[in-house]
Amino acid sequence: MTSVPGRRSSTFTRLLRHGFTHPAAAERLLDLPEMAPVRTDSVLLDALGATADPDLALRGLVRLVEAQQQDERQGLLDTLISAKPLRDRLLGVLGASEALGDHLARHPHDWQALVTYESSDLHPGVEDFERGLAEATDPVSLRVAYRRCLLSIAARDVCGTTDVAQTAAELADLATATLRAALAIARTAAPEDAAACRLAVIAMGKCGGHELNYVSDVDVIFVGEPASETVDESAAVKAATRLASHLMRICSETTVEGAIWPVDANLRPEGRNGPLVRTLSSHLAYYQRWAKTWEFQALLKARPVAGDPELGAEYVDAVSPLVWQAAERENFVPDVQKMRRRVVDNIPAAHIDRELKLGPGGLRDVEFAVQLLQLVHGRTDPTLRSGSTLEALGALAAGGYVGRVDAAQFDEAYRFLRSMEHRIQLHRLRRTHLVPEGEEDLRRLGRSLGLRADPVAELDKEWRRHGSVVRRLHEKLFYRPLLDAVAQLAPGETRLSTQAARQRLEALGYADPAAALRHLEALSYGVSRKAAIQRTLLPVLLGWFADSADPDAGLLGFRQVSDALGKTPWYLRLLRDEGAAAENLARVLSAGRLAPDLLLRAPEAVALLGDPEGLKPRGRDHLDQEVLAAVGRANGAEAAVASARAVRRRELFRTAAADLIGSYGTEENPAGHDPGTLVDRVGNAVTDLNAATIAGALRAVVRERWGDELPTRFAVIGMGRFGGHELSYGSDADVLFVHEPREGDDEQEAAQAAATVVAEMRRLLQLPSSDPPLLIDADLRPEGRNGPLVRTLASYAAYYRRWSLVWESQALLRAEPMAGDEELGARFIELADPLRYPTGGLGEEEVREIRRLKARMETERLPRGADPTLHTKLGRGGLSDVEWTVQLLQMRHGWSEPGLRTTRTRTALAAARDAGLLSPEDAEVLDDAWVLATRVRNGVMLVRGRAGDTFPSDAKELAAVGRYLGHGQGHVGEMVDEYRRATRRARAVVDRLFYGS
């Protein structure tokens, strides 16, 4: 910044020191003749420097002084210099609110309203505001009087005379007085209507809860009744509707004085589609028959504020019992969860990080949690039935439903966030909940909250700190008191009753709260170190369990793992000290059956969840080394293969856990992985793992029977999904077995040895044990099930030369050596290449044969009763459709396009696109469908613990698959629609490319 020479440099420096960010502009304003007292009086300059925005305050003061009559200007400035309370209030408002500065410029005598409230102990109520609005006889004068009253509220607020809760209550009281004044104007304009009906105005939302913002819709419900028995009910309702409509226009319409605030009646029965006014009996009939859970939650804040007081009281008395029965409704939990999701889903992506009210860690999180606790426990405890969030939070703490320390932290966070919201809205009196982005706006906001050293940085730090506290809302408000219901407490300490704890668990989605309480007691009861650590962990874990499709399964699994590892010193320490480990464990235990089953067979694998590298799949070389080492240490083939299968079980758990956590996300690692990447990762990991296990089994069998060397060279060729590196968790391993007698060895003995190896490997890999079996399927061999399990390389060559059918050549597209003699495996691939990539491509007859086989498979192999639009393997647009289309391209063009010579579907699809054999759009459609169908199969296996090719019929299992696919609770229908849409598009491409239609 350049210096200002001469006489002006001293003033310039003073302005900088007092916090002015535009000192040159401020100097020019101070040079105005009427501002001479301000320029020469350090008291006023100090007071300006103490405001949220000294530049804004000075501009507002200049405008206010200029708006006075010539003979009044000196009197205003003299009063400001001599009266500190008034000086602080007026300049405080001018430095915080450009909109109220505009009002004072239009109504220059309204500053005198601030003289009225000189006592810091004086907090006006509805009656005081009614007196302030008493002279208003039309909409314009009501707006002016409203702003004058608002000026006094803002002055007390910015000076700290009132706290945020009292400010919100005063704003609600001013709204009450304004509604009454507007109704009086409407009645005066239509005396016939006023005489025909009784009209009650019921405040809802923040107005009803005595916690209104500076600028907010005022939510109301209107109740009308005939004024006497002689008035027809229909006529009375019509009259009341006209009065209510006029009231809404008075408050909502914008004039030169602006609008007061919109009156919103959309919380009424049937919302905006329902009648504006109903009788009390009509309201009750609706709530008893048709109302949704959120409507009862909204009624929690209902309060009569204007109109007929007796009718208003009758309404509240009539609906209150319904509010406190809402938690007993059958769909209470799903309804509440759906409402919470809808709020977050409707936030524009560009605003979510700045959204103070609705965003994660925002005001709505606190309000939502407090209201849910009220609905759950207020059924039996009338002390909780307050419409005010802070009062209700205090009552929840006093009743033991929320820990006192937790309640204090959330009270502090809520007050800070509400203060931010108030000051943001106060600036221009606009309805917004977005934190501003500009440096100047953030500076003013920070200073208005008392942050002066580095306002912008301090504001961001405090906002993030309080938001972080609120994000742990469920841990703090929902789960910790559950432990107090089952843990030993100090004498006289308040605790949640067993019945209240069950109600809490029901509200959180636990289907068997009694069993859940037993698990909590078993885990946390007592004074041991183990119980103390569990009491620290469980509140967080319960929240993560409740966020899953099956909270009960998650809690049960945690108890089982804890029982198995409870005496292991590192287990609880791992969960306590490694934040990711605990959340990872919770997600894995509550996501389905497969991963918990694998973990419970060897609970020590939980250590993988705390290692930053623990969820990365092991490569083939690493797996071979570990498996072969384990086999080498074992005594006998059976023990050796058992060791290999134990490694496989652990690695399957690692892969499944990584898949689940990558799909669901955690607080530290939010979901966001590309679905194709997740599919490829699972396919490669399971393929490498099965290949290493087969290699270990081969080594074990050979070593026990023949020592170091089998009397024939032997190789295992992967086929199908195994050869394509596309295995799912429940896939069999499709293979071909090939051998070649060693030089000088007897061919018959070699064949017998090879057959023995195959039989023994298959037996040992599926021997009943605690480890999942690895089933080997050799049905793709020549002659299928009728052919020998193992052939020599020469026998394969002879068969393929003389008898091979086109489908067998097609099957060889996925042939890849997986175990055994590498050189023999490579020679088998040399044999297969001319068959699967025939020179010149396929002839037309061969293409027709492939198409006939595919059509017959669709007709004959789809299970009876299966929905062809939802069967992932054989259904329309499913795996088979995409794979056969890609394989036809490989067989027709692989001889000339090297990129197509791959066993992997997605790689071949990308190569076909790059070679111009199909458009990028068609390639994307096929790829999306294939990935989605594969993920559905993986999800079904993870959830059910057994393989399946279609969506589960059980609602809970279906919801769990939905969560795995990234769909929140209540969005199962969207998941199925998305699958049908993706596969329908894929089928259209298949019809065109494969069938030529």
Side-chain angles (χ1 to χ4, degrees):
M1 183 177 293
T2 58
S3 63
V4 179
R7 65 179 181 83
R8 304 176 66 88
S9 60
S10 175
T11 304
F12 190 93
T13 303
R14 288 174 64 204
L15 292 171
L16 279 176
R17 190 171 63 249
H18 280 86
F20 286 82
T21 55
H22 303 288
E27 273 193 296
R28 287 193 293 273
L29 291 175
L30 290 173
D31 279 344
L32 295 172
E34 56 269 29
M35 299 306 291
V38 180
R39 185 174 61 250
T40 59
D41 193 292
S42 62
V43 170
L44 282 178
L45 204 56
D46 289 344
L48 286 166
T51 64
D53 187 340
D55 299 271
L56 179 62
L58 178 58
R59 289 198 301 271
L61 180 59
V62 169
R63 295 176 66 200
L64 176 58
V65 171
E66 289 178 338
Q68 306 295 314
Q69 296 294 328
Q70 189 70 33
D71 58 349
E72 296 172 335
R73 294 176 178 176
Q74 189 63 43
L76 168 61
L77 293 174
D78 289 344
T79 304
L80 287 178
I81 293 171
S82 61
K84 184 180 188 306
L86 174 64
R87 179 171 67 243
D88 291 343
R89 286 195 290 271
L90 178 57
L91 296 184
V93 168
L94 291 175
S97 178
E98 184 178 334
L100 288 178
D102 292 342
H103 173 82
L104 285 171
R106 288 195 306 272
H107 304 281
H109 295 127
D110 275 7
W111 67 269
Q112 297 176 22
L114 300 182
V115 180
T116 307
Y117 301 102
E118 294 191 358
S119 170
S120 61
D121 298 323
L122 182 61
H123 300 302
V126 176
E127 294 77 12
D128 298 289
F129 291 125
E130 284 187 298
R131 285 193 290 273
L133 303 176
E135 296 181 2
T137 57
D138 59 76
V140 173
S141 60
L142 181 60
R143 285 167 175 73
V144 175
Y146 173 83
R147 288 291 174 94
R148 189 182 307 123
C149 293
L150 191 67
L151 180 67
S152 67
I153 295 175
R156 289 187 294 279
D157 178 18
V158 298
C159 292
T161 304
T162 54
D163 67 6
V164 66
Q166 182 62 37
T167 299
E170 288 186 14
L171 289 166
D173 286 341
L174 175 56
T176 297
T178 305
L179 288 169
R180 292 176 183 178
L183 182 57
I185 294 173
R187 285 178 176 276
T188 301
E192 300 85 358
D193 288 339
C197 67
R198 299 164 63 203
L199 176 64
V201 183
I202 311 297
M204 305 285 284
K206 290 188 179 299
C207 186
H210 259 103
E211 49 190 18
L212 198 61
N213 299 332
Y214 275 103
V215 187
S216 176
D217 292 354
V218 171
D219 296 304
V220 299
I221 285 177
F222 295 109
V223 188
E225 294 285 350
S228 66
E229 295 181 359
T230 60
V231 180
D232 177 71
E233 182 178 287
S234 175
V237 169
K238 289 178 181 178
T241 300
R242 288 190 289 270
L243 290 176
S245 299
H246 193 181
L247 178 153
M248 294 175 70
R249 289 195 301 275
I250 290 171
C251 296
S252 304
E253 288 180 349
T254 301
T255 68
V256 67
E257 296 294 339
I260 300 177
W261 19 248
V263 177
D264 189 341
N266 288 337
L267 292 178
R268 66 186 185 268
E270 299 180 78
R272 65 185 60 188
N273 297 319
L276 183 62
V277 178
R278 290 176 182 256
T279 62
L280 177 56
S281 60
S282 176
H283 275 283
L284 288 177
Y286 173 84
Y287 288 128
Q288 289 166 348
R289 296 187 62 186
W290 309 111
K292 298 179 175 62
T293 300
W294 70 264
E295 293 178 278
F296 294 110
Q297 187 170 350
L299 285 170
L300 192 152
K301 294 181 180 290
R303 177 173 66 92
V305 291
D308 191 299
E310 292 182 2
L311 180 58
E314 288 177 33
Y315 175 88
V316 171
D317 290 343
V319 300
S320 270
L322 302 177
V323 172
W324 304 112
Q325 295 167 9
E328 299 170 6
R329 292 163 65 92
E330 183 177 353
N331 294 316
F332 175 71
V333 174
D335 286 347
V336 171
Q337 291 172 335
K338 188 183 300 182
M339 181 168 58
R340 183 178 179 222
R341 284 195 306 272
R342 188 164 58 240
V343 168
V344 176
D345 291 345
N346 287 335
I347 302 174
H351 292 170
I352 194 163
D353 290 334
R354 297 167 50 218
E355 177 57 68
L356 191 64
K357 177 181 178 182
L358 305 178
L363 290 162
R364 183 57 60 85
D365 276 351
V366 180
E367 294 163 352
F368 180 91
V370 169
Q371 289 168 22
L372 185 55
L373 287 174
Q374 286 181 277
L375 291 172
V376 171
H377 300 300
R379 291 177 286 178
T380 54
D381 189 346
T383 66
L384 305 180
R385 300 177 183 180
S386 169
S388 162
T389 299
L390 291 177
E391 286 182 9
L393 184 57
L396 287 164
Y401 304 99
V402 176
R404 285 186 173 86
V405 174
D406 299 339
Q409 290 177 344
F410 276 95
D411 183 284
E412 179 190 9
Y414 186 71
R415 287 175 185 272
F416 182 84
L417 296 174
R418 283 302 304 274
S419 296
M420 281 186 68
E421 181 184 46
H422 277 188
R423 302 301 165 81
I424 291 169
Q425 293 184 347
L426 181 59
H427 181 222
R428 290 194 173 93
L429 288 181
R430 291 179 182 170
R431 183 177 182 270
T432 179
H433 310 286
L434 292 178
V435 177
E437 296 179 291
E439 183 87 8
E440 196 166 310
D441 288 331
L442 290 170
R443 181 175 182 273
R444 181 186 61 256
L445 178 57
R447 284 172 60 90
S448 77
L449 295 170
L451 307 173
R452 295 301 173 97
D454 186 351
V456 176
E458 290 180 69
L459 174 67
D460 184 72
K461 179 181 178 181
E462 286 298 294
W463 177 30
R464 303 301 174 189
R465 179 174 72 85
H466 288 296
S468 176
V469 171
V470 173
R471 277 195 296 274
R472 295 193 293 273
L473 195 66
H474 285 292
E475 172 196 350
K476 297 289 184 181
L477 293 186
F478 282 89
Y479 308 114
R480 195 174 300 283
L482 290 169
L483 301 186
D484 294 343
V486 298
Q488 287 184 332
L489 302 176
E493 194 171 336
T494 304
R495 62 181 284 170
L496 198 65
S497 69
T498 302
Q499 179 59 28
R502 288 188 181 184
Q503 291 175 346
R504 180 78 61 88
L505 286 163
E506 287 177 1
L508 294 169
Y510 286 83
D512 190 349
L517 280 177
R518 289 195 298 272
H519 298 324
L520 291 177
E521 183 168 12
L523 289 163
S524 64
Y525 186 84
V527 294
S528 67
R529 180 174 176 79
K530 171 187 171 184
I533 296 176
Q534 289 282 23
R535 286 195 291 271
T536 301
L537 292 170
L538 276 165
V540 192
L541 291 166
L542 283 168
W544 288 324
F545 294 149
D547 192 39
S548 72
D550 195 349
D552 300 82
L555 181 54
L556 172 61
F558 181 68
R559 179 182 176 183
Q560 291 172 329
V561 172
S562 295
D563 287 347
L565 295 175
K567 295 181 180 179
T568 307
W570 57 264
Y571 167 62
L572 290 177
R573 189 167 61 245
L574 170 76
L575 298 185
R576 181 194 62 195
D577 298 339
E578 299 290 340
E583 185 172 3
N584 289 343
L585 178 60
R587 299 301 184 198
V588 166
L589 290 175
S590 56
R593 297 179 185 174
L594 179 65
D597 285 350
L598 294 169
L599 178 60
L600 290 171
R601 292 172 184 177
E604 64 276 3
V606 76
L608 299 175
L609 302 177
D611 180 0
E613 300 295 312
L615 295 176
K616 292 184 178 179
R618 297 297 183 254
R620 176 67 192 274
D621 291 343
H622 181 103
L623 292 170
D624 278 343
Q625 184 178 0
E626 182 177 5
V627 168
L628 294 178
V631 167
R633 291 191 298 268
N635 292 321
E638 189 166 315
V641 174
S643 298
R645 290 175 63 183
V647 173
R648 178 172 178 265
R649 178 202 59 235
R650 186 199 67 212
E651 294 303 317
L652 275 176
F653 172 74
R654 188 198 306 272
T655 303
D659 189 17
L660 290 167
I661 293 163
S663 299
Y664 294 160
T666 64
E667 187 170 329
E668 293 190 6
N669 298 294
H673 293 280
D674 171 59
T677 301
L678 291 172
V679 162
D680 291 344
R681 186 183 300 169
V682 171
N684 287 324
V686 178
T687 297
D688 287 345
L689 179 54
N690 285 355
T693 306
I694 289 172
L698 175 59
R699 171 73 64 85
V701 172
V702 171
R703 187 186 65 174
E704 180 166 273
R705 295 291 186 93
W706 294 276
D708 293 334
E709 188 175 274
L710 190 67
T712 185
R713 304 173 74 182
F714 185 89
V716 181
I717 309 299
M719 300 287 284
R721 297 190 184 285
F722 188 25
H725 291 254
E726 297 163 354
L727 286 179
S728 180
Y729 299 103
S731 299
D732 297 345
D734 290 311
V735 301
L736 297 178
F737 297 111
V738 58
H739 80 102
E740 185 175 67
R742 298 183 187 279
E743 188 174 347
D745 286 336
D746 181 73
E747 291 189 9
Q748 187 172 355
E749 181 183 344
Q752 184 61 43
T756 301
V757 166
V758 170
E760 190 66 1
M761 282 174 57
R762 297 181 79 188
R763 182 184 75 84
L764 293 175
L765 287 171
Q766 53 189 297
L767 203 65
S769 77
S770 61
D771 298 315
L774 175 53
L775 302 178
I776 293 180
D777 187 339
D779 287 354
L780 291 176
R781 65 187 183 269
E783 302 178 77
R785 296 180 181 178
N786 299 318
L789 274 172
V790 59
R791 289 175 182 261
T792 63
L793 183 62
S795 175
Y796 276 107
Y799 175 85
Y800 287 131
R801 184 173 60 252
R802 297 183 61 190
W803 309 109
S804 176
L805 300 174
V806 67
W807 73 264
E808 293 176 298
S809 297
Q810 183 180 350
L812 288 171
L813 284 168
R814 294 190 180 187
E816 182 173 308
M818 289 295 176
D821 190 290
E822 293 183 5
E823 194 270 339
L824 179 61
R827 287 165 56 206
F828 181 90
I829 296 304
E830 290 177 6
L831 167 67
D833 278 349
L835 296 165
R836 54 187 181 178
Y837 312 125
T839 302
L842 294 176
E844 286 304 313
E845 180 55 37
E846 292 169 311
V847 171
R848 282 195 293 272
E849 177 62 19
I850 288 176
R851 288 171 174 166
R852 277 197 299 268
L853 286 170
K854 176 70 170 65
R856 195 176 78 188
M857 184 178 69
E858 289 180 20
T859 304
E860 297 177 359
R861 294 183 59 187
L862 189 71
R864 179 175 297 178
D867 185 343
T869 67
L870 294 178
H871 197 280
T872 59
K873 183 176 181 180
L874 302 174
R876 293 195 286 270
L879 297 172
S880 177
D881 268 2
V882 176
E883 289 163 1
W884 281 60
T885 301
V886 172
Q887 289 163 13
L888 183 59
L889 289 171
Q890 288 180 280
M891 296 186 75
R892 297 181 85 170
H893 303 284
W895 67 280
S896 60
E897 293 291 342
L900 292 173
R901 299 170 202 167
T902 175
T903 64
R904 306 180 187 217
T905 302
R906 298 189 71 211
T907 305
L909 188 57
R913 176 201 62 207
D914 295 342
L917 300 175
L918 74 169
S919 69
E921 294 77 16
D922 286 347
E924 182 178 5
V925 166
L926 293 177
D927 186 68
D928 288 347
W930 189 90
V931 167
L932 181 56
T934 303
R935 294 206 73 215
V936 171
R937 295 182 91 207
N938 285 346
V940 169
M941 183 65 188
L942 287 166
V943 168
R944 302 177 67 193
R946 61 183 188 275
D949 289 320
T950 190
F951 290 93
S953 56
D954 178 82
K956 186 176 291 186
E957 292 178 346
L958 186 62
V961 172
R963 295 299 300 275
Y964 171 75
L965 294 177
H967 297 273
Q969 293 185 36
H971 291 264
V972 166
E974 294 177 15
M975 170 184 67
V976 175
D977 288 345
E978 177 188 311
Y979 181 83
R980 284 195 168 111
R981 184 165 54 251
T983 53
R984 183 172 60 248
R985 294 175 64 203
R987 180 63 185 208
V989 175
V990 171
D991 284 341
R992 189 159 29 83
L993 296 182
F994 182 83
Y995 287 112
S997 14

